[in-house]
Amino acid sequence: MSTYRCLADLVVALHAGYVLAVVLGLVAIYVGLALRWGWVRNFWFRTLHFLMIVVVVLESYLGVPCPLTTLEDYLRAQAGETVSEASFVGRWANAITFWDIPEWVLTIVYSVFAAVVLATLVLAPPRWPRPRR
């Protein structure tokens, strides 16, 4: 297996991890609020979670291709393959990450999801970090 193919698989696994972190992060926040888990109000966790979805929404509205998708495509081309020729891990992670639906639908989904994340920040705000003494 070529180095480029391994790197492309790593990028698509990272991409799938990013998507899962955004989606499961919101699920964890709601479950954590219901179960009174203190860590779901962590300022840095909540800020990072919000910024992750904001990046996706901004890319979508600005028509900027995702850098991870661009990098994966480049690495696959260097390996002499297409996404459909990816390894098992690459195909599996691609199936989770990419759906064959119009871009405008994804933009709406991203925007609604970001609105829910923002509403969660407002309705269940994170704890501000305490100043160090």
Side-chain angles (χ1 to χ4, degrees):
M1 184 182 316
S2 79
T3 302
Y4 288 113
R5 185 179 192 180
C6 288
L7 289 173
D9 286 351
L10 181 63
V11 168
V12 78
L14 178 68
H15 204 170
Y18 189 98
V19 171
L20 289 172
V22 170
V23 173
L24 296 180
L26 187 60
V27 171
I29 290 166
Y30 282 121
V31 169
L33 290 170
L35 298 176
R36 299 186 189 278
W37 295 340
W39 67 267
V40 298
R41 289 194 182 259
N42 178 281
F43 175 81
W44 300 112
F45 166 67
R46 297 288 294 279
T47 301
L48 179 61
H49 182 254
F50 179 66
L51 290 176
M52 288 174 76
I53 189 60
V54 166
V55 166
V56 173
V57 170
L58 286 176
E59 286 174 354
S60 183
Y61 276 101
L62 297 174
V64 175
C66 175
L68 293 173
T69 303
T70 303
L71 179 58
E72 182 203 354
D73 291 347
Y74 169 78
L75 293 169
R76 295 258 179 247
Q78 294 301 307
E81 60 186 29
T82 62
V83 173
S84 62
E85 295 175 291
S87 68
F88 171 76
V89 171
R91 287 191 310 269
W92 175 80
N94 246 299
I96 290 173
T97 308
F98 302 106
W99 300 335
D100 190 21
I101 54 180
E103 287 294 321
W104 66 268
V105 172
L106 290 175
T107 299
I108 291 171
V109 169
Y110 300 153
S111 299
V112 168
F113 195 90
V116 171
V117 172
L118 181 59
T120 304
L121 275 171
V122 171
L123 297 173
R127 287 183 319 265
W128 285 89
R130 294 183 185 135
R132 294 186 184 211
R133 294 180 182 157

